[in-house]
Amino acid sequence: MAELTPRQFLDTILVPEKQSDHICWQCAHLKPVLKGSKFPPADIIGWCKKIHWPHYWCVADFNVVKKCYAFEAKQ
């Protein structure tokens, strides 16, 4: 059995509610809405953990983001 990194392990357990082609989806700082979560509005795909810390920036699927200063690709 291949050994998983902590990030890969969390990605297998924390299943997001929906997938998106939003630029933030490829970012390491995105905290996605988890499957079965009742709290966030339907258009929110997650929160950015880097922008506006400690009050996270909500990321909606309909927001057009072409470039972000806080973007770091997932590894």
Side-chain angles (χ1 to χ4, degrees), residues 3-4 6 11 20-21 32 34-35 38 42 50 52 57-58 65 67:
E3 192 168 318
L4 298 174
D11 286 344
S20 175
D21 59 350
L34 298 178
K35 191 171 205 84
K38 306 273 190 260
K50 188 159 185 170
H52 297 288
W57 178 271
C58 291
V65 178
K67 192 174 179 182

Side-chain angles (χ1 to χ4, degrees), residues 48 51-57:
C48 179
I51 298 176
H52 297 288
W53 182 88
H55 307 290
Y56 300 144
W57 178 271

Side-chain angles (χ1 to χ4, degrees), residues 11-12 14-26 30 32-35 42-46 60-62 74:
D11 286 344
T12 60
L14 303 175
V15 179
E17 181 69 32
K18 54 186 160 184
Q19 297 289 330
S20 175
D21 59 350
H22 198 277
I23 186 173
C24 294
W25 201 255
Q26 303 303 323
L30 180 73
V33 174
L34 298 178
K35 191 171 205 84
D43 61 339
I44 302 295
I45 61 170
D61 203 16
F62 62 80
K74 287 184 182 178

